Amino acid sequence: MANRTDPSAKSIRGTNPQNLVEKILRSKIYQSTYWKEQCFGLTAETLVDKAMEVEHLGGTYGGNRKPTPFMCLVMKMLQIQPEKEIVIEFIKNEDYKYVRILGAFYLRLTGSDIDIYRYLEPLYNDYRKLRQKLADGQFALTHVDEVIDELLTKDYSCDIAMPRIKKRWTIESLGALEPRRSALEEDFEEEEEKEDNDQPADEPEDRTHEKDYYRGRSPTRERDRDRRRDSHRHRDRDYDRDYDRDYDRERGRGRDRDREKERDRDRYRIRDDKDYGRDREGRERKRRDRDRDSGRRRSYSRSRSRSRDRKEHDGGDYRKRRARGSVSPRRHGDEAEDGEPKKKKEKKEKKEKKDDGTDHPDPEIAEANKLRASLGLKPLKL
């Protein structure tokens, strides 16, 4: 219940006012001791007393990022949503500077563009010192006009993202806001009028021109003063134009970089394709050479096997023929043993010759016995 937005509160920028603070920072504020003890039950009237007790401004600090009392009060204002007149009275309060900064911060979050420029720009003339608590827990010195400039020009302040607002020159071009005038312009104009009145009429013209030059009344210096006076009107416009120009330039550079990357990618792809084609041709050439070498090796092995078989075949016949024709040397005892069979063979041959009748003393009968032996007939016995 203590963390809910007031039911009568209006939505700001299409959302719950408390959602203007990030969820993590919002949950840290809900868990802080200052929120539970000091901000419970506060209303728009009693909130002023707590705002007068604030001694510094800031977002979160420390290792666990504790929220400052200033940030807790900003969250409380978003929750109860005080009226616009109360917020403007906060901003116009000159006695308590932190009350003024609290109102300006709340108006920057919830106000319209015209109200923001109308009520915050006069605070540029407030140069009072402020204590700001940094993220490491240390304090730093700042001023009211610096905080207002941060609210109007920066996207972040006190760890909160500021809603975007239109540029001042855009609102001026629509006629909704008058051109901003510096508080020192009236003093400059009064001094110039006094100088014009104090100038004697009978003074020579050259002397007057010389004195005007040194006093700042020369046409050149007047032109410079007018240019400086009007420069603040076009400062935002020039900044936006430079920003757009830089953005377009960076965008063009990014496109050129993308085109160069695509060209390099295409170049590398073509080179890789060529290298792959060369590698493929080299691999095919090596494979053909390998096949050719293997074919030669295979044919050579076949020829060697054939020659080996032929040699073995021829060598076997040769060994057989040699074994038949050659007689191994024998010892003396073997010769004595082989002598008997030879004699028996000779006796058998002689006996066969005698049986054939071819050894008949009569040549005619011997020839007739040869003829009969060839015909397989028995020899003639006469």
Side-chain angles (χ1 to χ4, degrees), residues 293-354:
D293 295 340
S294 62
R296 289 178 183 174
R297 221 176 283 116
R298 201 178 298 113
S299 60
Y300 178 70
S301 62
R302 288 175 184 171
S303 60
R304 285 191 62 187
S305 62
R306 288 173 186 169
S307 61
R308 193 184 299 113
D309 295 339
R310 193 179 298 112
K311 283 183 181 179
E312 290 178 355
H313 185 266
D314 297 341
D317 296 343
Y318 176 74
R319 282 195 293 271
K320 288 179 183 178
R321 289 196 298 270
R322 188 173 179 185
R324 288 196 209 102
S326 63
V327 179
S328 61
R330 297 178 182 269
R331 289 187 292 239
H332 184 68
D334 296 338
E335 291 179 356
E337 291 177 356
D338 293 339
E340 294 179 356
K342 285 182 179 180
K343 291 180 180 180
K344 289 180 179 179
K345 287 180 180 180
E346 290 177 356
K347 287 180 180 181
K348 285 182 180 180
E349 289 177 357
K350 287 181 179 180
K351 189 175 181 180
E352 288 177 355
K353 287 181 180 180
K354 289 179 180 180

Side-chain angles (χ1 to χ4, degrees), residues 4 30-31 33 108 173 194 220 234 237 251 311-312 332 340 354 359 363:
R4 288 185 180 180
Y30 292 156
Q31 295 172 4
T33 306
R108 176 64 179 85
S173 62
K194 288 180 181 180
T220 306
H234 306 284
R237 187 181 305 171
R251 192 175 180 183
K311 283 183 181 179
E312 290 178 355
H332 184 68
E340 294 179 356
K354 289 179 180 180
D359 57 345

Side-chain angles (χ1 to χ4, degrees), residues 204-380:
E205 187 177 352
D206 296 338
R207 182 89 175 177
T208 304
H209 184 273
E210 182 180 358
K211 194 176 292 185
D212 289 342
Y213 177 78
Y214 286 107
R215 287 181 182 177
R217 292 290 295 168
S218 65
T220 306
R221 300 194 68 176
E222 285 182 0
R223 231 180 287 119
D224 295 340
R225 189 183 298 110
D226 294 339
R227 192 181 296 113
R228 284 195 300 271
R229 188 181 301 162
D230 296 337
S231 63
H232 70 276
R233 300 178 183 176
H234 306 284
R235 181 176 56 190
D236 294 336
R237 187 181 305 171
D238 296 338
Y239 174 78
D240 292 342
R241 192 182 299 113
D242 296 338
Y243 178 79
D244 295 338
R245 192 183 301 114
D246 295 339
Y247 177 76
D248 294 338
R249 191 182 297 117
E250 291 295 331
R251 192 175 180 183
R253 289 177 184 172
R255 290 176 181 172
D256 295 339
R257 276 190 229 105
D258 294 338
R259 291 196 195 97
E260 291 178 1
K261 287 182 181 179
E262 289 179 0
R263 289 197 205 98
D264 295 340
R265 199 180 299 115
D266 296 339
R267 196 180 301 118
Y268 288 135
R269 190 184 299 113
I270 293 170
R271 188 182 303 167
D272 294 338
D273 293 341
K274 289 182 179 179
D275 295 340
Y276 179 74
R278 292 197 198 99
D279 296 340
R280 188 175 180 181
E281 292 176 0
R283 287 196 297 271
E284 290 179 355
R285 193 181 299 111
K286 288 180 181 179
R287 190 182 64 206
R288 287 197 297 269
D289 296 340
R290 199 183 305 114
D291 295 341
R292 194 182 300 114
D293 295 340
S294 62
R296 289 178 183 174
R297 221 176 283 116
R298 201 178 298 113
S299 60
Y300 178 70
S301 62
R302 288 175 184 171
S303 60
R304 285 191 62 187
S305 62
R306 288 173 186 169
S307 61
R308 193 184 299 113
D309 295 339
R310 193 179 298 112
K311 283 183 181 179
E312 290 178 355
H313 185 266
D314 297 341
D317 296 343
Y318 176 74
R319 282 195 293 271
K320 288 179 183 178
R321 289 196 298 270
R322 188 173 179 185
R324 288 196 209 102
S326 63
V327 179
S328 61
R330 297 178 182 269
R331 289 187 292 239
H332 184 68
D334 296 338
E335 291 179 356
E337 291 177 356
D338 293 339
E340 294 179 356
K342 285 182 179 180
K343 291 180 180 180
K344 289 180 179 179
K345 287 180 180 180
E346 290 177 356
K347 287 180 180 181
K348 285 182 180 180
E349 289 177 357
K350 287 181 179 180
K351 189 175 181 180
E352 288 177 355
K353 287 181 180 180
K354 289 179 180 180
D355 293 340
D356 291 341
T358 55
D359 57 345
H360 199 276
D362 191 355
E364 293 180 359
I365 296 172
E367 289 180 2
N369 287 333
K370 286 181 182 180
L371 182 60
R372 291 178 68 87
S374 62
L375 295 174
L377 298 175
K378 292 182 179 182
L380 297 173

Side-chain angles (χ1 to χ4, degrees), residues 99-271:
V99 174
R100 169 173 279 191
I101 295 298
L102 183 64
F105 198 93
Y106 177 78
L107 183 65
R108 176 64 179 85
L109 287 174
T110 61
S112 62
D113 299 345
I114 298 174
D115 291 339
I116 289 172
Y117 284 110
R118 182 177 296 165
Y119 293 108
L120 295 191
E121 281 183 344
L123 301 183
Y124 273 124
N125 301 323
D126 192 348
Y127 306 110
R128 287 181 291 181
K129 297 178 182 179
L130 296 173
R131 297 176 65 195
Q132 185 176 8
K133 200 162 192 178
L134 304 178
D136 57 355
Q138 302 293 329
F139 289 96
L141 179 64
T142 184
H143 300 81
V144 175
D145 59 329
E146 294 179 4
V147 176
I148 297 302
D149 185 68
E150 181 180 348
L151 292 176
L152 292 176
T153 58
K154 301 295 180 61
D155 295 333
Y156 274 84
S157 181
C158 297
D159 298 333
I160 293 181
M162 296 287 107
R164 296 185 64 86
I165 58 175
K166 296 178 182 178
K167 299 297 181 182
R168 197 182 200 288
W169 65 269
T170 306
I171 303 175
E172 288 180 7
S173 62
L174 297 175
L177 193 66
E178 296 180 358
R180 178 172 172 264
R181 295 186 62 185
S182 174
L184 301 176
E185 287 185 7
E186 296 179 359
D187 297 337
F188 284 138
E189 291 176 357
E190 290 177 0
E191 289 181 1
E192 290 175 0
E193 290 177 358
K194 288 180 181 180
E195 290 175 358
D196 292 338
N197 295 331
D198 294 341
Q199 182 178 355
D202 56 348
E203 195 171 356
E205 187 177 352
D206 296 338
R207 182 89 175 177
T208 304
H209 184 273
E210 182 180 358
K211 194 176 292 185
D212 289 342
Y213 177 78
Y214 286 107
R215 287 181 182 177
R217 292 290 295 168
S218 65
T220 306
R221 300 194 68 176
E222 285 182 0
R223 231 180 287 119
D224 295 340
R225 189 183 298 110
D226 294 339
R227 192 181 296 113
R228 284 195 300 271
R229 188 181 301 162
D230 296 337
S231 63
H232 70 276
R233 300 178 183 176
H234 306 284
R235 181 176 56 190
D236 294 336
R237 187 181 305 171
D238 296 338
Y239 174 78
D240 292 342
R241 192 182 299 113
D242 296 338
Y243 178 79
D244 295 338
R245 192 183 301 114
D246 295 339
Y247 177 76
D248 294 338
R249 191 182 297 117
E250 291 295 331
R251 192 175 180 183
R253 289 177 184 172
R255 290 176 181 172
D256 295 339
R257 276 190 229 105
D258 294 338
R259 291 196 195 97
E260 291 178 1
K261 287 182 181 179
E262 289 179 0
R263 289 197 205 98
D264 295 340
R265 199 180 299 115
D266 296 339
R267 196 180 301 118
Y268 288 135
R269 190 184 299 113
I270 293 170
R271 188 182 303 167

Side-chain angles (χ1 to χ4, degrees), residues 84-94 99-100:
K84 183 179 178 181
E85 290 77 11
I86 297 176
V87 177
I88 293 174
E89 290 298 326
F90 276 27
I91 296 173
K92 291 181 178 180
N93 190 339
E94 297 181 358
V99 174
R100 169 173 279 191

